[in-house]
Amino acid sequence: MKKIAIVGASGYSGEELVRLLLRHPQVELAAVTSRQYAGQTVAQVFPRMAGMPAASQLRFTESNPDLISRSAEIVFLALPHGVAAEYAIPLLNNGLTVIDLSADFRLKSAAVYREFYGHDHPDPTLLEQSVYGLPEIHRAAIRKARLIASPGCYPTSILLPVVPLLRAGLIQPDAIIADSLSGVSGAGKKAELDYLFVECNESVRPYGLPKHRHLSEIEEQLSLAAGRKIIIQFSPHLIPVNRGILSTIYLAPAADLRTEADIDAFSRRVTQCYAGAYGGEPFVRLLQGKALPDTKNVVGTNMLEFAWRLDPRTGRLLVVSAEDNLLKGASGQAVQSMNILCGFEETTGLLG
Amino acid sequence: MKKIAIVGASGYSGEELVRLLLRHPQVELAAVTSRQYAGQTVAQVFPRMAGMPAASQLRFTESNPDLISRSAEIVFLALPHGVAAEYAIPLLNNGLTVIDLSADFRLKSAAVYREFYGHDHPDPTLLEQSVYGLPEIHRAAIRKARLIASPGCYPTSILLPVVPLLRAGLIQPDAIIADSLSGVSGAGKKAELDYLFVECNESVRPYGLPKHRHLSEIEEQLSLAAGRKIIIQFSPHLIPVNRGILSTIYLAPAADLRTEADIDAFSRRVTQCYAGAYGGEPFVRLLQGKALPDTKNVVGTNMLEFAWRLDPRTGRLLVVSAEDNLLKGASGQAVQSMNILCGFEETTGLLG
Amino acid sequence: MKKIAIVGASGYSGEELVRLLLRHPQVELAAVTSRQYAGQTVAQVFPRMAGMPAASQLRFTESNPDLISRSAEIVFLALPHGVAAEYAIPLLNNGLTVIDLSADFRLKSAAVYREFYGHDHPDPTLLEQSVYGLPEIHRAAIRKARLIASPGCYPTSILLPVVPLLRAGLIQPDAIIADSLSGVSGAGKKAELDYLFVECNESVRPYGLPKHRHLSEIEEQLSLAAGRKIIIQFSPHLIPVNRGILSTIYLAPAADLRTEADIDAFSRRVTQCYAGAYGGEPFVRLLQGKALPDTKNVVGTNMLEFAWRLDPRTGRLLVVSAEDNLLKGASGQAVQSMNILCGFEETTGLLG
Amino acid sequence: MKKIAIVGASGYSGEELVRLLLRHPQVELAAVTSRQYAGQTVAQVFPRMAGMPAASQLRFTESNPDLISRSAEIVFLALPHGVAAEYAIPLLNNGLTVIDLSADFRLKSAAVYREFYGHDHPDPTLLEQSVYGLPEIHRAAIRKARLIASPGCYPTSILLPVVPLLRAGLIQPDAIIADSLSGVSGAGKKAELDYLFVECNESVRPYGLPKHRHLSEIEEQLSLAAGRKIIIQFSPHLIPVNRGILSTIYLAPAADLRTEADIDAFSRRVTQCYAGAYGGEPFVRLLQGKALPDTKNVVGTNMLEFAWRLDPRTGRLLVVSAEDNLLKGASGQAVQSMNILCGFEETTGLLG
């Protein structure tokens, strides 16, 4: 049984992490911390877990790095961006493995970090050491990682469908548009007017156009896959669901598609590309036949499902993906990375 | 591994049953039937289970009682009211154990059945044999049952908080009012205008006033607990959530509560009554302190949570309960009964 | 054209007031105030009014009582409870008419005010002068009022169906139970975790049990109608809709209902009672036949609709009412009172 | 007072038409027809209009063209696609003016009609006579029209922001992508499983990819504006709101934007283009500053609001628009056209 701690487990992804790790058969949740909830049991703070026996035993504590270093081997950080980096440093120095759910270690380039976050990174050398925790893309590196930067919810929904196409040279790298819809839990558990029920219900709205912070990690990962600098169009929207992200992605094939034969040939290449990339993946599902993604089919699971269509009228390749922003888009994926680096079966605690 | 079949698994509670039994470690789901979906895999019909490996193997079949009798030991019926009774008879004759989720075997009295359902019961002797599958009330009988009538969602939310008070003689049996709010999945998966998104969203409405069919089983069970005939007031309402039932129950204490000392004494008796009834129950939770039930804390679990308040101004006892109508109110409870009659740990497959 | 000011027009009922008065053909909205929005136009603060030409002209100002006294004859106060009373005093001294949407002037009894609000009223003599602005009950007094305390949303939904029955002696005054469901806008536009989308969506919960503040005005008005002190049971719940209140009210007839003839006779008396009370009312609608209230039929209107059922099994009288909490439950009703005291047609600006 | 009839007024846009025309000060609603509701009053069929006195008088009738021709001068058709065309012919022959809300007369080309609808148009000459009822684009023609094809909800949200740019030559005609999100009322009042509350709530999904029927009228109108054949990418999605459409549109400027000066110059051209097109329009609103469209700000109004952003990183022009699919996207726009052709003030009955 690996000993685990979760630091800052008071928000929505923190809650999911606690739930996943409490029921995980190969780990022991040794500590959960939160300044706000210190002293209370998990069952008191998250009543929906009250039925799990351990939730009544386990109590939130203050987030003392030294105490945590003594009680845990692996630490999940569910802290606000900026705070996580400061917190990770002593843990790493104490020899622990850190899986960070914030954006603090997701970029390789300190310059891009500065451009998008408006200040210098507190420890740029850690950017080099960290592994971007997208198992389907970086599994080998995750296996040996000591610092994992678990991806954001939007990036996961865009990278998984696009990276294989880029690697295979099937699409033009300069013409990527991702139009994404997110449930309100993606905004976090913050007492702000914008996220009140009455302001979100019966409402749909874009935000952060045209330069959302998550662009930086999406573009960096796409650039890695393409072997060249990529800039994309990304438009996030808020929709009135608790959980779920749907991304509709517009791509330009890197091939002339004038005849039906062209189209058939290209379709076969896409089919093969995805079969090769995701044929054996337990948490990526390519929909068959006429099925199109629907967030309700993935919410509550660690699955990303997607479908693609080649439009013979426009010559464009459309890909639509859906995931649970708190699971495959955050905590489920972080546990998947943990399973990999611990040598557990990758799906442990993440099915059903 | 017990061999299990689910007949009529195409609606919302059928889907939950499939999910629960697919991940249950001590049973093998040998057959799922549905006229509509015969030939398709579980993963095709219920895409949210696509991540569970067995869901891609298991295929829906037609509901042939003989075939089922050969492949399963225990059969769950998730059929419409009326159809279930017809279907159960050959299975019982073949020696199988039947757990029925419809209302067909919930009443003991064939006369009450006729009054509320408008026609005679097809086999009144089965009404005598069947056990009302509310584990916290009838656990001993469930252990030996061959035909379990799993309770309705409204009845569960009302019976669990009220039965112990009635048994202890703490409340007046003639003054029970239950005001219940149900999510739309309670209406089933039926293509009717009334249950369209646009008709339910931004809407709240009562229905079936004042004599809803579920009254019959609530009153029969309450009467059993009180040892005398009980008639209650019951008002169901439809609210715009997918899942969840909240019942607010108004009770008259069977004691004069004139002084603070009276109130304190009565409060202690209620506390003791519930501690005795549910102190060790894994799926009934009495909230402490100022906490009040909230459906979001029980949806996705097999828990019924409740709280009570004694109002010194009116002398009434208020009890509020919350449950997931598809789990503790339907499929979770049916699996709980199965665990009991199979001799499994009662919480198997129902936590986390 | 009457000159009108709205003070504190930044919340949900303030917004509705602005909308109603902007389109009202017989008033001129001379001032709208809000510390937070001073300097901005109505169209900027409330974008959904941007199509109304006046909304781009009218600008929010600071709430200076002297300035307001010079520019307006009638002032609506949409301020928090407690603040409104302080603010009304100088306006009344300056000879203006005040229509207050807070609870500050709704009670006649300073003692009850202290009991429910925890502090003394700043000017108890104003409690005597104020008129409770429920037009169907107090129309004559409203006509001559200079200070109107516009009723709360819960009280309106309960008083309108119950007062006529009490006045007619048709129900037992000691056995009134009101179970109410409110949309989230009833909680106001406050940045609190409890009212976040994710906390309210897919959730139903009671709150403030068993002694909610609004009880005081409900009981005082019912006591007035009955000619004796009345205490009721009142249970508010929060449901995931933006707008709408549904109240299900349980009553005990003041008559023995043993025979069908008793029941028929009592039913006729209820029918007559309501026909007499509301036959000519433009904003109270008794549903006919099998129809039951549904908030979606009243949201966006100033109508309260209700239905009643006499339950022959329990002998109880059930009444269910529905209204828009921001219109008939707040701002629409306040404008209705204004129409009355100004001598306008009562429905002016409130239909369609 | 113009005499008006509405044929087929039983769905969601029919209901909105009835409401708008009942309160319109310059028309008399002489007849509303519906096979299903014949004999019932408007107040019975649409309880939310019960407060409007006329709604209790006006009764639904059968849809007899000859009777309607005698009682009305202008007829709105709110019939299913296909049925409307058959129904319009006798009315037009009788000299009436027809405003059709279906897709039956929206195309000019009978060949495109056949391609998208799978059968021949019943009367292609009417396609030539009909006027596409988008007032901001075709106001002059609407003034003299006898047959108006009122636009679909998706087309309105896309055409209004894009047509001025195309006419001004500001964008490349071959690179238009429209990603649209629609509330569920857009699917009509149909008892189908896909539109049940439980299937839509907590769900987002695309549909009809990549060749939705509405593409045909969008492309035809864009082609008219550009003076050449245009093919676009269009992806509709269903989101869990009752009403509202949001379209995010990706455009490629027809100019090199390499320097900041290029970008500034192009931005000025866009600003001027929209100011010229919509500066004086009462129902099109270009948002200023940082504001972005939100459906909640337009639902319940006849307004289309939009904003644009030039992305210096990608060189793309983004436009986002929002409207109420049942008002500016259907019935409100149809009434706007009626106002124009009757010579009424264009905003009559459509503000506030």
Side-chain angles (χ1 to χ4, degrees):
Chain A
M1 301 287 277
K2 281 276 175 189
K3 295 202 164 189
I4 307 288
I6 305 172
V7 173
S10 58
Y12 295 125
S13 53
E15 179 174 353
E16 279 300 297
L17 260 184
V18 172
R19 188 179 68 81
L20 291 173
L21 293 172
L22 271 186
R23 68 175 204 175
H24 194 290
Q26 292 181 270
V27 308
E28 182 200 334
L29 191 47
V32 291
T33 83
S34 153
R35 192 168 305 161
Q36 183 184 2
Y37 296 128
Q40 298 184 54
T41 67
V42 165
Q44 286 168 326
V45 174
F46 302 131
R48 75 189 77 192
M49 289 178 223
M52 301 166 94
S56 303
Q57 260 86 64
L58 189 62
R59 229 169 253 285
F60 277 83
T61 60
E62 294 281 350
S63 321
N64 180 312
D66 283 333
L67 278 176
I68 285 172
S69 296
R70 264 171 276 156
S71 61
E73 299 155 90
I74 299 174
V75 181
F76 288 83
L77 301 182
L79 294 164
H81 299 312
V83 181
E86 303 287 354
Y87 203 91
I89 297 169
L91 296 173
L92 291 165
N93 288 342
N94 288 342
L96 278 76
T97 297
V98 171
I99 301 177
D100 178 27
L101 277 80
S102 84
D104 285 6
F105 299 107
R106 290 182 192 153
L107 296 175
K108 293 288 140 204
S109 159
V112 173
Y113 184 92
R114 193 182 315 111
E115 178 193 348
F116 277 84
Y117 292 93
H119 59 89
D120 283 320
H121 193 278
D123 190 344
T125 60
L126 289 177
L127 294 182
E128 291 159 35
Q129 295 169 28
S130 74
V131 172
Y132 193 74
L134 196 51
E136 292 78 7
I137 309 294
H138 297 296
R139 187 173 281 119
I142 291 169
R143 211 164 271 141
K144 299 174 292 189
R146 286 213 26 248
L147 170 57
I148 287 179
S150 211
C153 46
Y154 285 123
T156 298
S157 77
I158 296 166
L159 293 172
L160 285 177
V162 176
V163 162
L165 301 174
L166 271 181
R167 284 182 172 171
L170 287 172
I171 54 169
Q172 297 175 34
D174 285 327
I176 301 173
I177 296 175
D179 191 287
S180 295
L181 315 176
S182 171
V184 187
S185 63
K189 202 171 182 173
K190 285 178 288 191
E192 296 181 8
L193 284 180
D194 276 356
Y195 306 118
L196 289 182
F197 181 83
V198 177
E199 301 302 315
C200 295
N201 186 40
E202 294 299 290
S203 157
V204 206
R205 55 187 197 256
Y207 65 97
L209 298 188
K211 194 180 173 189
H212 187 278
R213 282 182 169 189
H214 276 181
L215 256 182
S216 53
E217 68 181 279
I218 303 172
E219 290 180 349
E220 201 179 80
Q221 288 293 318
L222 293 178
S223 300
L224 271 173
R228 47 158 288 190
K229 171 83 175 162
I230 285 189
I231 286 176
I232 72 159
Q233 195 75 52
F234 168 56
S235 307
H237 300 75
L238 200 67
I239 55 169
V241 298
N242 280 357
R243 293 161 74 144
I245 280 189
L246 190 103
S247 288
T248 302
I249 306 166
Y250 300 90
L251 302 167
D256 258 1
L257 302 179
R258 302 196 182 181
T259 66
E260 274 195 41
D262 292 344
I263 289 174
D264 287 350
F266 188 78
S267 292
R268 275 194 301 274
R269 292 176 65 195
V270 173
T271 300
Q272 284 161 10
C273 170
Y274 281 136
Y278 299 129
E281 287 294 342
F283 295 125
V284 179
R285 183 162 92 101
L286 177 58
L287 298 176
Q288 302 300 317
K290 292 191 174 178
L292 286 168
D294 185 332
T295 55
K296 71 169 176 276
N297 293 336
V298 291
V299 163
T301 80
N302 195 49
M303 184 70 71
L304 177 131
E305 69 174 29
F306 73 109
W308 60 272
R309 296 287 184 274
L310 195 58
D311 187 348
R313 301 175 81 252
T314 65
R316 274 199 204 83
L317 176 62
L318 268 68
V319 191
V320 186
S321 67
E323 67 177 15
D324 184 328
N325 59 306
L326 297 179
L327 289 170
K328 187 60 179 166
S331 303
Q333 182 144 270
V335 171
Q336 188 182 350
S337 283
M338 179 199 76
N339 284 342
I340 293 168
L341 68 84
C342 290
F344 303 152
E345 177 71 32
E346 191 166 328
T347 58
T348 310
L350 292 171
L351 292 179
Chain B
M1 301 288 277
K2 282 276 175 190
K3 295 204 163 186
I4 308 287
I6 305 172
V7 173
S10 59
Y12 295 127
S13 53
E15 178 174 353
E16 279 299 296
L17 261 182
V18 173
R19 189 180 65 83
L20 291 172
L21 293 172
L22 269 187
R23 67 176 205 174
H24 193 290
Q26 292 180 271
V27 307
E28 182 199 333
L29 192 47
V32 292
T33 83
S34 154
R35 190 166 309 160
Q36 183 182 1
Y37 297 127
Q40 298 184 55
T41 66
V42 165
Q44 286 168 325
V45 174
F46 303 133
R48 73 189 78 192
M49 289 178 221
M52 302 166 92
S56 303
Q57 259 86 65
L58 189 62
R59 228 168 254 284
F60 277 83
T61 60
E62 294 282 349
S63 321
N64 181 310
D66 283 332
L67 277 178
I68 284 172
S69 297
R70 265 172 274 157
S71 62
E73 299 156 90
I74 300 174
V75 181
F76 288 84
L77 302 181
L79 293 164
H81 299 313
V83 181
E86 304 288 354
Y87 203 90
I89 296 169
L91 296 174
L92 291 165
N93 289 342
N94 288 343
L96 278 76
T97 298
V98 171
I99 301 177
D100 177 28
L101 278 81
S102 84
D104 285 6
F105 300 107
R106 291 183 193 153
L107 296 175
K108 293 286 141 206
S109 160
V112 173
Y113 184 93
R114 193 182 315 110
E115 179 193 347
F116 277 83
Y117 291 92
H119 58 88
D120 284 319
H121 193 277
D123 190 344
T125 61
L126 289 178
L127 294 183
E128 291 158 34
Q129 294 169 30
S130 75
V131 172
Y132 193 74
L134 196 52
E136 292 79 8
I137 309 295
H138 298 296
R139 187 172 282 116
I142 291 168
R143 211 164 271 138
K144 300 174 294 191
R146 286 212 26 250
L147 170 57
I148 287 180
S150 211
C153 47
Y154 285 125
T156 298
S157 77
I158 295 166
L159 293 171
L160 285 177
V162 176
V163 163
L165 301 173
L166 270 180
R167 284 182 172 169
L170 286 173
I171 54 168
Q172 298 175 34
D174 286 327
I176 300 172
I177 296 174
D179 191 288
S180 296
L181 315 176
S182 172
V184 186
S185 63
K189 201 170 181 173
K190 285 178 291 193
E192 296 180 8
L193 284 181
D194 276 356
Y195 306 118
L196 289 184
F197 182 83
V198 177
E199 301 302 315
C200 294
N201 185 40
E202 293 299 291
S203 156
V204 207
R205 54 188 198 254
Y207 64 97
L209 297 188
K211 194 181 174 188
H212 187 278
R213 283 182 168 186
H214 276 181
L215 257 180
S216 54
E217 67 180 279
I218 304 172
E219 290 181 349
E220 201 178 79
Q221 288 293 318
L222 292 178
S223 300
L224 270 173
R228 44 158 291 191
K229 170 81 176 164
I230 285 189
I231 285 175
I232 72 158
Q233 195 76 53
F234 168 56
S235 308
H237 300 74
L238 200 67
I239 55 169
V241 298
N242 279 357
R243 293 162 73 145
I245 279 189
L246 189 104
S247 288
T248 302
I249 307 166
Y250 300 90
L251 302 167
D256 259 3
L257 301 179
R258 302 194 183 183
T259 66
E260 274 196 39
D262 292 345
I263 288 174
D264 286 352
F266 187 78
S267 292
R268 276 194 301 275
R269 292 176 63 196
V270 174
T271 300
Q272 286 161 10
C273 170
Y274 280 137
Y278 298 128
E281 287 293 344
F283 294 124
V284 180
R285 184 163 92 102
L286 177 57
L287 298 176
Q288 302 299 317
K290 293 189 173 176
L292 286 168
D294 185 331
T295 54
K296 72 169 173 274
N297 293 335
V298 291
V299 164
T301 80
N302 195 48
M303 184 70 71
L304 176 130
E305 69 174 28
F306 73 109
W308 59 273
R309 296 287 185 273
L310 196 58
D311 187 347
R313 301 174 80 251
T314 64
R316 274 199 205 84
L317 176 63
L318 268 68
V319 192
V320 186
S321 68
E323 67 178 16
D324 184 327
N325 58 307
L326 296 180
L327 288 171
K328 187 60 179 165
S331 304
Q333 183 144 267
V335 171
Q336 189 183 350
S337 283
M338 179 199 76
N339 284 341
I340 293 169
L341 68 83
C342 289
F344 303 151
E345 178 71 32
E346 192 166 326
T347 57
T348 311
L350 293 171
L351 292 179
Chain C
M1 301 288 276
K2 282 276 176 189
K3 294 201 163 187
I4 308 288
I6 304 172
V7 173
S10 58
Y12 295 126
S13 54
E15 179 174 353
E16 279 299 296
L17 261 183
V18 172
R19 188 181 66 84
L20 290 172
L21 293 172
L22 270 186
R23 67 175 206 175
H24 193 290
Q26 292 181 271
V27 307
E28 182 199 334
L29 191 46
V32 292
T33 84
S34 153
R35 191 167 308 160
Q36 183 182 0
Y37 296 128
Q40 298 184 56
T41 66
V42 165
Q44 287 169 324
V45 174
F46 303 133
R48 75 189 77 191
M49 290 178 222
M52 302 166 92
S56 303
Q57 259 86 64
L58 190 62
R59 229 169 251 284
F60 277 83
T61 60
E62 294 281 349
S63 320
N64 181 310
D66 283 333
L67 277 177
I68 284 171
S69 297
R70 265 171 273 156
S71 62
E73 299 156 271
I74 300 173
V75 181
F76 288 83
L77 302 181
L79 294 164
H81 300 312
V83 181
E86 304 287 354
Y87 203 92
I89 297 170
L91 296 174
L92 291 165
N93 289 343
N94 288 342
L96 277 76
T97 297
V98 171
I99 301 177
D100 178 29
L101 277 80
S102 84
D104 285 5
F105 300 107
R106 290 182 193 154
L107 296 175
K108 293 287 139 205
S109 159
V112 173
Y113 184 93
R114 193 182 315 111
E115 179 193 347
F116 277 83
Y117 291 92
H119 58 88
D120 284 320
H121 193 277
D123 190 344
T125 61
L126 288 178
L127 294 182
E128 292 159 34
Q129 294 168 31
S130 75
V131 171
Y132 193 74
L134 196 51
E136 293 78 8
I137 309 294
H138 297 295
R139 187 172 282 118
I142 291 168
R143 212 163 270 138
K144 299 173 295 190
R146 287 214 23 250
L147 171 56
I148 287 179
S150 212
C153 48
Y154 286 123
T156 298
S157 78
I158 295 166
L159 293 171
L160 286 176
V162 176
V163 162
L165 301 173
L166 271 180
R167 283 182 172 169
L170 286 172
I171 54 168
Q172 298 175 34
D174 285 328
I176 300 172
I177 296 174
D179 191 288
S180 295
L181 315 176
S182 172
V184 186
S185 63
K189 201 171 182 172
K190 284 178 290 192
E192 297 180 8
L193 284 180
D194 276 356
Y195 306 118
L196 289 184
F197 182 82
V198 177
E199 302 302 315
C200 294
N201 186 40
E202 293 299 291
S203 156
V204 207
R205 55 188 198 255
Y207 64 97
L209 297 188
K211 195 180 172 188
H212 186 278
R213 282 182 167 187
H214 275 181
L215 256 181
S216 54
E217 67 179 281
I218 303 172
E219 291 182 349
E220 201 179 80
Q221 288 293 317
L222 292 178
S223 300
L224 270 173
R228 45 158 290 190
K229 171 80 177 164
I230 286 189
I231 285 175
I232 71 159
Q233 195 76 53
F234 168 56
S235 308
H237 301 74
L238 200 67
I239 54 169
V241 297
N242 279 357
R243 292 162 74 145
I245 279 188
L246 189 104
S247 288
T248 302
I249 307 166
Y250 300 90
L251 302 167
D256 260 2
L257 301 179
R258 302 194 183 184
T259 65
E260 274 196 39
D262 292 344
I263 288 174
D264 286 353
F266 187 77
S267 291
R268 276 194 300 275
R269 292 175 64 195
V270 174
T271 300
Q272 285 161 11
C273 170
Y274 280 136
Y278 298 128
E281 287 294 343
F283 295 125
V284 180
R285 183 162 92 103
L286 177 57
L287 298 177
Q288 302 299 317
K290 293 189 173 177
L292 286 168
D294 185 331
T295 54
K296 72 170 174 273
N297 293 335
V298 291
V299 164
T301 81
N302 196 48
M303 185 70 71
L304 177 131
E305 68 174 29
F306 73 108
W308 60 272
R309 297 287 185 274
L310 196 58
D311 186 347
R313 301 175 81 251
T314 64
R316 274 199 205 84
L317 176 62
L318 268 69
V319 192
V320 186
S321 68
E323 67 178 15
D324 184 327
N325 59 306
L326 297 180
L327 289 171
K328 186 61 179 167
S331 304
Q333 183 144 269
V335 171
Q336 189 183 350
S337 283
M338 179 199 76
N339 284 342
I340 294 168
L341 68 82
C342 289
F344 304 151
E345 179 70 33
E346 192 166 327
T347 57
T348 311
L350 293 170
L351 292 178
Chain D
M1 302 288 276
K2 281 277 174 190
K3 296 202 162 188
I4 308 288
I6 305 172
V7 173
S10 58
Y12 295 126
S13 54
E15 179 174 353
E16 279 300 296
L17 260 184
V18 172
R19 188 180 67 82
L20 291 173
L21 293 172
L22 271 185
R23 69 176 204 174
H24 193 290
Q26 292 180 270
V27 308
E28 183 199 333
L29 191 47
V32 292
T33 83
S34 153
R35 192 167 306 161
Q36 183 183 2
Y37 297 127
Q40 298 184 55
T41 66
V42 166
Q44 287 168 325
V45 174
F46 302 131
R48 73 189 77 191
M49 289 178 222
M52 301 166 94
S56 303
Q57 260 86 63
L58 189 62
R59 228 168 254 285
F60 277 83
T61 60
E62 294 281 350
S63 321
N64 181 311
D66 284 333
L67 277 178
I68 284 172
S69 297
R70 266 170 274 156
S71 61
E73 298 155 89
I74 300 174
V75 181
F76 288 84
L77 302 182
L79 294 164
H81 299 313
V83 181
E86 303 287 354
Y87 202 91
I89 296 169
L91 296 174
L92 291 165
N93 288 342
N94 288 342
L96 279 75
T97 298
V98 171
I99 301 177
D100 178 28
L101 277 80
S102 84
D104 285 6
F105 299 107
R106 291 184 191 151
L107 296 175
K108 292 289 140 204
S109 158
V112 173
Y113 184 93
R114 193 182 315 110
E115 178 192 347
F116 278 83
Y117 292 93
H119 58 90
D120 283 321
H121 193 278
D123 190 343
T125 61
L126 289 178
L127 294 182
E128 292 159 34
Q129 295 168 30
S130 75
V131 172
Y132 193 73
L134 195 51
E136 293 79 7
I137 308 295
H138 298 295
R139 187 172 281 117
I142 291 169
R143 210 164 271 139
K144 301 174 291 189
R146 288 217 21 254
L147 170 57
I148 287 179
S150 213
C153 47
Y154 286 123
T156 298
S157 77
I158 296 166
L159 294 172
L160 286 177
V162 176
V163 163
L165 301 174
L166 271 180
R167 284 183 173 171
L170 287 172
I171 55 170
Q172 297 174 35
D174 284 327
I176 300 172
I177 296 175
D179 191 288
S180 295
L181 315 176
S182 171
V184 186
S185 63
K189 201 171 183 173
K190 285 178 289 193
E192 296 181 8
L193 284 180
D194 276 355
Y195 307 118
L196 290 183
F197 182 83
V198 176
E199 301 302 315
C200 295
N201 186 40
E202 294 298 289
S203 156
V204 207
R205 56 187 196 255
Y207 64 97
L209 296 189
K211 194 179 174 189
H212 187 279
R213 282 183 169 187
H214 276 181
L215 256 181
S216 54
E217 67 180 279
I218 303 172
E219 290 180 349
E220 200 179 80
Q221 289 292 318
L222 292 178
S223 301
L224 271 173
R228 46 159 288 188
K229 172 81 176 162
I230 286 189
I231 285 176
I232 71 160
Q233 195 76 52
F234 167 57
S235 308
H237 300 74
L238 200 67
I239 54 168
V241 298
N242 280 357
R243 292 161 73 144
I245 280 188
L246 189 103
S247 288
T248 302
I249 306 165
Y250 300 90
L251 302 167
D256 259 2
L257 302 179
R258 302 195 183 182
T259 66
E260 274 194 41
D262 291 346
I263 289 174
D264 287 352
F266 188 77
S267 291
R268 275 194 303 273
R269 292 175 65 194
V270 174
T271 300
Q272 284 161 11
C273 170
Y274 280 137
Y278 299 129
E281 286 294 341
F283 295 125
V284 179
R285 184 163 92 102
L286 177 58
L287 298 176
Q288 302 300 317
K290 293 190 173 177
L292 286 168
D294 184 333
T295 56
K296 71 170 177 275
N297 293 335
V298 291
V299 164
T301 80
N302 195 50
M303 185 70 71
L304 176 130
E305 68 175 28
F306 73 109
W308 59 272
R309 296 286 185 275
L310 195 58
D311 187 348
R313 301 175 81 251
T314 63
R316 274 198 204 84
L317 175 63
L318 268 69
V319 191
V320 187
S321 67
E323 67 177 16
D324 184 328
N325 58 307
L326 297 180
L327 290 171
K328 186 61 179 165
S331 303
Q333 183 144 270
V335 170
Q336 188 183 350
S337 283
M338 178 199 76
N339 284 342
I340 293 168
L341 69 82
C342 290
F344 304 152
E345 177 71 31
E346 192 167 328
T347 58
T348 310
L350 292 171
L351 293 179

